[in-house]
Amino acid sequence: KVIQENMHLALMMADRSMVVIDEVWNADGRADFHIYTGAPGSDGSVVLELKVLRQFSHPKDPKSTVTKAVAKATNKKNALEVVKQAAQYKDELKAKRALARLYDMRRPPIEKEASESADILAKQLDVEFKVSQINYTAQEKRDAKVQNKITNKH
C-alpha cells in the first residue's frame, strides 16, 4: 500500500496534465491505477498494476512480532498474477497499454524463477513488465548494480 501511495504521488507530480485514478473497480477486480494522458477513453490511457515479492510476511496484528517465510511458489503466483491482472484490466477498462510493475523486496541472492516466468507471460499477453529490486542498504544497492552489469555482459 505504501508503494502504491508513493507511486500515486509521483505520477501526479510527474505530469500535471495526466489524470491518475487509483483503486479503479471493474467487473474483474480493482486496478491499482488507471492513468489518462488525455481525455478519458482516449488512446492515451494506461493500466498500471503493482505487486511486491517478499521474503517474509509480516503479521496483521501490530502487537505481534512473528514473521513467516514466504514460499517461492507464493512469490511466483504473485508475479504471474500482476501480469494477468494488468492484461485483464487493460481489456476491461479499454486502456491502450498495460503495465505490470513488480517490486522485489527479497534479500540477495534472489532466485529469478518468479520474475522470469512473469516476463514470459507478459510478452504473450502484450503487457509491459518491469522488475525493480528494493535494496535495504547502500552496499546491497551497489552489489546489485555490479551483479546486473556482470549478468548483462554475458
Side-chain angles (χ1 to χ4, degrees), residues 58-70:
H58 298 283
K60 293 182 181 184
D61 179 3
K63 294 177 185 173
S64 176
T65 58
V66 178
T67 60
K68 295 180 183 175
V70 174

Side-chain angles (χ1 to χ4, degrees), residues 31 73 97-98 101-102 121 135:
R97 294 170 54 206
R101 187 72 187 256
L102 198 58
L121 182 61
N135 300 292

Side-chain angles (χ1 to χ4, degrees), residues 141-152:
K141 186 174 184 176
R142 282 191 295 276
D143 291 347
K145 284 184 174 183
V146 167
Q147 186 60 44
N148 233 2
K149 280 185 178 180
I150 293 169
T151 303
N152 290 333

Side-chain angles (χ1 to χ4, degrees), residues 5-31:
E5 289 169 355
N6 287 331
M7 179 69 76
H8 190 192
L9 180 62
L11 288 168
M12 288 179 14
M13 292 174 62
D15 183 349
R16 295 197 186 270
S17 68
M18 287 192 309
V19 176
V20 180
I21 304 170
D22 65 345
E23 309 272 324
V24 180
W25 287 94
N26 62 77
D28 295 311
R30 179 193 48 80

